[in-house]
């Protein structure tokens, strides 16, 4: 008689019959049962130092009162950066990093203006962090799950940091000797909570979310975008009545409003920690590297804006992109060599171990705003090599959500939906392998910096994006099943590409 691993797991955990029944119910009722709740993360971080064989700090990301936090943002701004030191006014010297990031939103718009809130989410969850390694080593800041519906990076980072804390093996010891690692774990704790008992997993477009949590891309802020009460502020990126897109507000130069309190915490932590490298872990839409048959292009088939196309050969229809790294740094700098060479090391490792393709990051720009405006690539402006990656994550269904209110009229944009449950386990493994490889490579670069970009530009950009516009969201604009949208500058679709190469100069 054969048993599935799900059937055996309750027995291996030593659960009672009642607990086993609850376990099976949770598995069948919640397709995201593999993911950690916020309380799970707090518990695991609380116990990590007790089982570690090396010094580890875990818990609150930002120091406040007696919370035993990790990063002190109640210190003066660094003095040697190309940033706006008059952020609080020409006659006012910011007393601290905490004060400076709040001053950016003093423009009559919305956003957090209380410096005491930095370190907590909109709903009051404390942002969590991990720090370990050599305090004199090269500083690496890792950010996971600032988009709440991209959870695999959090689970992977937690596992990798637990491996490192055990201090076993040459690679782990070298990483800890050469690097000072700070992890911002689940930077969006409200939007990233996988608890179906209390959270809204699939909110109806055009409604305000004022519940305790959700599993969505944005943070939770019912006042975002005016909350259907007034026009959206200039430069708003997010969903009206739901929240901000945290990855559009990394204005580390303090020259634009940093409205979400969670983004304020990330920027403040970076200004205090001064990372040499930033690794930002994301999930991706379902892309393909199949060769496109340009004879089949149908113009403006999706949203009346984007064309569709077919793969050249049916046998390549299932060929999809596993991993797409970012590589953002000042062109022709040592940081550019590092972040592009690092991307190649990670791609090569994933290529060897998993079936699927890897390549440079490129994305069709669907919706309002520039995808690169306010993203973590901005950390290059304080001297960091800004990298990371996206791994395949979402279902093919795209939502239609209200991205702005203009004169009382709703502007509809495209928004990724829920994670695809069947991809989660593989995605977590890919992120584990990629993160450990990245840290191992960075430890080597600390002693022997890369002399070139390691052939980064030889890796391909994705060929297309598979997406479906369901009738429940799009009505008459719905597509007849998933469509292949070409990602090709020659087709004339709007693109964002990370990494400076001759075919896509930044």
């Amino acid at each position: 008689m054969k048993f599935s691993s799900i059937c055996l797991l309750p027995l291996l955990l030593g659960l009672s019959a009642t607990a086993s029944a609850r376990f099976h119910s949770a598995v069948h009722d919640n397709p995201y049962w593999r993911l950690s709740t916020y309380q799970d993360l707090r518990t695991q971080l609380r116990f990590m130092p007790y089982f570690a064989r090396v010094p580890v700090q875990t818990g609150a990301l930002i120091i406040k009162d007696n919370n035993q936090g990790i990063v002190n943002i109640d210190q003066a701004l660094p003095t040697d950066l190309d940033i706006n030191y008059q952020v609080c006014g020409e006659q006012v010297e910011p007393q601290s990093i905490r004060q400076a990031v709040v001053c950016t939103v003093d423009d009559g718009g919305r956003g957090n203006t209380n410096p005491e809130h930095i370190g907590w989410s909109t709903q009051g969850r404390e942002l969590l962090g991990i720090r370990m390694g050599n305090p004199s080593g090269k500083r690496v800041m890792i950010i996971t799950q600032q988009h709440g519906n991209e959870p695999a990076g959090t689970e992977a980072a937690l596992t990798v940091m637990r491996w490192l804390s055990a201090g076993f093996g040459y690679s782990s010891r070298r990483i800890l000797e050469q690097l000072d690692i700070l992890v911002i774990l689940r930077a969006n704790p409200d939007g990233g909570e996988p608890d179906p008992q209390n959270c809204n997993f699939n909110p109806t477009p055009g409604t305000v979310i004022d519940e305790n949590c959700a599993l969505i891309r944005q943070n939770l802020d019912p006042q975002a975008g005016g909350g259907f009460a007034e026009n959206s502020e200039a430069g708003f990126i997010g969903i009206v009545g739901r929240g901000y897109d945290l990855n559009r507000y990394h204005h580390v130069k303090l020259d634009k409003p940093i409205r979400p309190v969670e983004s304020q915490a990330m920027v403040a932590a970076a200004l205090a920690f001064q990372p040499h490298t930033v690794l930002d872990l994301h999930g991706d839409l379902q892309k393909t590297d199949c060769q496109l048959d340009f004879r089949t292009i149908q113009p403006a088939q999706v949203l009346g804006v984007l064309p569709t196309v077919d793969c050249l050969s049916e046998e390549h229809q299932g060929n999809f992109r596993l991993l797409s790294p970012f590589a953002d740094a000042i062109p022709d700098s040592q940081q550019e060599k590092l972040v592009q060479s690092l991307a190649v090391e990670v791609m090569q490792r994933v290529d060897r171990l998993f079936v699927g393709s890897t390549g440079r990051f490129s994305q069709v720009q669907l919706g309002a705003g520039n995808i690169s405006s306010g993203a973590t690539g901005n950390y290059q402006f304080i001297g960091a090599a800004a990298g990371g990656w996206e791994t395949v994550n979402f279902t093919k269904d795209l939502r239609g959500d209200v991205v702005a209110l203009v004169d009382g009229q709703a502007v509809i944009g495209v928004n990724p939906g829920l994670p695809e449950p069947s991809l989660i386990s593989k995605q977590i493994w890919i992120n584990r392998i990629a993160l450990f490889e990245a840290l191992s490579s960075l430890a080597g670069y600390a002693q022997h910096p890369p002399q070139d970009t390691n052939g980064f530009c030889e890796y391909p950009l994705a060929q297309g994006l598979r997406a479906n516009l369901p009738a429940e969201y799009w009505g008459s604009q719905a597509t007849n099943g998933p469509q292949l949208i070409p990602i090709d500058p020659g087709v004339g679709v709007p693109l964002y590409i990370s990494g400076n190469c001759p075919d896509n100069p930044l």
Side-chain angles (χ1 to χ4, degrees):
M1 182 180 296
K2 295 183 178 180
F3 294 90
S4 71
S5 57
I6 288 181
C7 292
L8 287 173
L9 191 53
L11 300 176
L12 295 173
L13 294 174
L15 300 180
S16 66
T18 302
S20 177
R22 286 200 300 268
F23 175 87
H24 280 285
S25 176
V27 170
H28 291 292
D29 294 344
N30 178 16
Y32 307 115
W33 64 272
R34 299 176 184 85
L35 306 178
S36 302
T37 66
Y38 177 76
Q39 190 55 48
D40 291 337
L41 295 180
R42 287 179 63 94
T43 300
Q44 292 185 66
L45 294 188
R46 187 178 302 122
F47 285 103
M48 186 182 292
Y50 290 102
F51 297 99
R53 296 166 58 90
V54 299
V56 178
Q57 282 182 277
T58 65
L61 173 67
I62 303 297
I63 295 173
K64 183 69 171 70
D65 299 327
N66 298 315
N67 70 346
Q68 306 299 309
I70 297 173
V71 180
N72 176 22
I73 65 170
D74 296 305
Q75 58 179 296
L77 282 168
T79 59
D80 56 349
L81 300 177
D82 180 20
I83 61 176
N84 178 21
Y85 287 99
Q86 281 75 50
V87 63
C88 295
E90 291 186 8
Q91 307 303 320
V92 181
E93 184 78 19
Q95 296 179 351
S96 65
I97 294 171
R98 183 189 296 271
Q99 181 187 15
V101 296
V102 167
C103 283
T104 66
V105 300
D106 188 19
D107 64 347
R110 286 171 288 275
N112 176 58
T113 58
N114 187 340
E116 302 303 308
H117 288 172
I118 298 176
W120 279 262
S121 69
T122 305
Q123 298 288 322
R125 293 176 174 84
E126 204 163 29
L127 270 67
L128 303 175
I130 307 171
R131 188 174 182 179
M132 70 175 69
N134 179 2
S136 300
K138 293 290 186 180
R139 294 180 297 277
V140 179
M141 188 172 83
I142 301 167
I143 302 172
T144 77
Q145 209 175 348
Q146 56 174 315
H147 290 147
N149 56 359
E150 300 171 5
T154 292
E155 307 298 331
L158 192 61
T159 300
V160 170
M161 297 308 284
R162 205 160 40 224
W163 288 344
L164 292 176
S165 72
F168 292 122
Y170 171 75
S171 294
S172 294
R173 289 195 298 271
R174 186 176 68 158
I175 289 170
L176 295 172
E177 288 170 359
Q178 298 296 328
L179 304 180
D180 181 8
I181 305 169
L182 172 67
V183 180
I184 302 177
L185 193 70
R186 188 173 287 167
N188 183 0
D190 299 340
E193 180 66 18
D195 178 7
Q197 301 299 319
N198 301 303
C199 300
N200 193 336
F201 274 18
N202 199 27
T204 303
T207 59
V208 174
I209 298 181
D210 54 9
E211 300 179 18
N212 186 46
C213 59
L215 187 63
I216 58 172
R217 179 179 179 85
Q218 296 74 26
N219 75 338
L220 282 189
D221 186 343
Q223 300 304 311
F228 294 101
E230 54 186 309
N231 286 350
S232 301
E233 70 267 15
F236 169 70
I237 303 294
I239 304 300
V240 173
R242 181 182 307 176
Y244 294 94
D245 185 332
L246 302 184
N247 197 34
R248 301 296 180 267
Y249 290 90
H250 292 272
H251 301 306
V252 70
K253 297 184 72 170
L254 307 179
D255 56 348
K256 296 178 182 178
I258 309 170
R259 301 196 185 280
V261 65
E262 298 89 347
S263 298
Q264 290 176 349
M266 288 185 276
V267 170
L271 288 170
F273 184 63
Q274 289 290 281
H276 295 100
T277 306
V278 174
L279 297 177
D280 186 20
L281 278 51
H282 283 271
D284 204 357
L285 296 164
Q286 295 193 31
K287 298 173 185 172
T288 179
D289 283 310
C290 73
Q291 293 299 307
L292 303 182
D293 185 352
F294 289 103
R295 298 169 301 177
T296 66
I297 282 186
Q298 298 292 318
Q301 294 297 296
V302 177
L303 303 176
V305 176
L306 298 175
T308 62
V309 71
D310 294 332
C311 288
L312 192 60
S313 172
E314 289 293 326
E315 65 183 275
H316 296 300
Q317 291 278 4
N319 182 14
F320 63 92
R321 174 69 66 88
L322 294 178
L323 178 139
S324 301
F326 311 123
D328 297 306
I330 303 299
D332 301 319
S333 65
Q334 181 58 45
Q335 288 86 352
E336 183 181 60
K337 293 178 182 177
L338 184 149
V339 74
Q340 293 192 356
S341 188
L342 177 68
V344 172
E345 302 282 0
V346 171
M347 285 188 284
Q348 289 177 341
R349 181 67 170 166
V350 171
D351 267 337
R352 287 195 295 268
L353 296 179
F354 297 94
V355 176
S357 62
T358 64
R360 291 182 285 140
F361 176 83
S362 59
Q363 179 66 67
V364 175
Q365 292 179 207
L366 299 169
N370 186 334
I371 195 172
S372 64
S373 176
T376 50
N378 278 0
Y379 290 117
Q380 66 184 288
F381 300 124
I382 59 170
W389 50 81
E390 296 201 350
T391 52
V392 60
N393 174 73
F394 295 105
T395 65
K396 295 185 180 71
D397 289 348
L398 297 179
R399 297 169 52 91
D401 283 302
V402 181
V403 296
L405 280 177
V406 180
D407 296 329
Q409 299 297 311
V411 178
I412 306 300
V414 177
N415 191 32
L418 290 171
E420 170 55 60
S422 66
L423 297 173
I424 287 176
S425 291
K426 184 173 185 178
Q427 191 193 16
I428 292 172
W429 271 107
I430 292 172
N431 274 273
R432 287 173 181 167
I433 297 299
L435 182 55
F436 195 86
E437 180 66 26
L439 292 174
S440 182
S441 296
L442 288 171
Y445 296 161
Q447 295 178 303
H448 305 287
Q451 300 304 305
D452 54 41
T453 62
N454 205 14
F456 172 79
C457 291
E458 297 172 10
Y459 277 79
L461 299 170
Q463 291 292 298
L465 166 68
R466 295 195 183 279
N468 178 45
L469 307 186
E472 62 180 302
Y473 299 137
W474 296 98
S476 60
Q477 294 189 72
T479 59
N480 184 22
Q483 303 293 314
L484 181 60
I485 301 168
I487 301 179
D488 189 308
V491 180
V493 298
L495 297 181
Y496 169 60
I497 298 171
S498 173
N500 185 32
C501 285
D503 60 346
N504 58 279
L506 298 180

